[in-house]
Amino acid sequence: FKNKVMGFFDSIKQMFGWSPEMSPELKQILWDDDDDNDGVDLNDPTDYNDEIIMTTNQVGNNMNDMNAAMDANDFAKAEKVRLQWKEDLKSYQKEIDEIGAFRWNDRMLLDAATSFLKSWDNLMDNGYKTLIEMRTAGKRWTPEEQAQLKANNDEIQRFTAVLNDVGDEFLEKYEDD
């Protein structure tokens, strides 16, 4: 219900550059986002930020699986982990989409999380696939393989820093709320 109502207001805003003002009663209904009493209020900037970050941090589980396969030199398993990771990224994105924009109109952190997940997906298709292929071909510890590993790690650091910076900016924006 909430997503449909907010989608309606977002559609109007996108089409006309503005949307009608919601009544205080409707805002209260929509902004009361702790219906499941889990202690998370997605209208609180800190809770919202935490929920987004916890969702994106799920990639850590995938990273652990990948590292275990690579450390065991089980590159067939590493490829399976890579493919599962790609599927999991879709699930994480769905969770992000379900969280939605902060207070239904601020997409700053939501968009950064989406970009973060897309960056991981791109890395799975390019960096990790290439790394697995190199190691499967017996090129572990070669300059070429080490360059690919460094490129992967640099890319992870880059897009993680972007998400963290946007998260900090988001919290600063609402620090007086």
Side-chain angles (χ1 to χ4, degrees):
F1 170 75
K2 293 176 191 179
N3 288 339
K4 288 181 182 178
V5 171
M6 294 318 302
F8 170 75
F9 279 90
D10 287 343
S11 295
I12 291 174
K13 187 173 184 177
Q14 287 177 358
M15 288 177 10
F16 301 108
W18 64 274
S19 64
E21 186 66 30
M22 284 187 272
S23 71
E25 294 82 12
L26 181 57
K27 282 183 182 178
Q28 181 61 39
I29 291 168
L30 296 173
W31 285 23
D32 181 14
D33 204 10
D34 194 18
D35 297 337
D36 54 5
N37 295 316
D38 63 357
V40 176
D41 177 2
L42 293 178
N43 294 298
D44 175 79
T46 302
D47 282 357
Y48 179 86
N49 178 75
D50 290 350
E51 198 71 13
I52 294 283
I53 298 304
M54 285 189 312
T55 302
T56 59
N57 280 347
Q58 293 180 84
V59 298
N61 296 328
N62 301 97
M63 179 62 80
N64 292 337
D65 293 343
M66 180 63 77
N67 288 339
M70 291 288 211
D71 290 345
N73 292 319
D74 189 344
F75 306 122
K77 182 171 182 173
E79 178 61 11
K80 289 178 184 173
V81 169
R82 184 187 74 81
L83 294 172
Q84 181 60 54
W85 197 335
K86 286 184 60 61
E87 289 303 310
D88 290 347
L89 288 167
K90 293 174 188 174
S91 174
Y92 306 153
Q93 183 61 55
K94 185 177 180 195
E95 290 178 43
I96 293 293
D97 292 341
E98 288 172 0
I99 293 169
F102 182 66
R103 296 181 182 161
W104 302 279
N105 64 9
D106 187 336
R107 297 187 55 86
M108 180 172 85
L109 190 53
L110 183 76
D111 290 344
T114 294
S115 177
F116 174 83
L117 294 173
K118 284 181 180 178
S119 294
W120 272 111
D121 190 57
N122 183 53
L123 193 59
M124 291 302 108
D125 286 341
N126 299 302
Y128 272 92
K129 183 175 183 179
T130 302
L131 189 63
I132 292 166
E133 289 169 351
M134 287 178 170
R135 289 182 178 181
T136 300
K139 294 182 180 181
R140 192 165 198 167
W141 306 114
T142 65
E144 179 185 27
E145 183 264 356
Q146 289 297 295
Q148 182 63 54
L149 182 60
K150 181 178 181 338
N152 289 2
N153 290 336
D154 289 349
E155 183 64 5
I156 293 167
Q157 288 177 0
R158 183 197 65 76
F159 61 70
T160 300
V162 169
L163 178 61
N164 289 336
D165 289 347
V166 172
D168 290 345
E169 185 181 331
F170 173 83
L171 289 173
E172 287 173 18
K173 181 178 179 180
Y174 292 103
E175 74 181 314
D176 292 332
D177 277 19

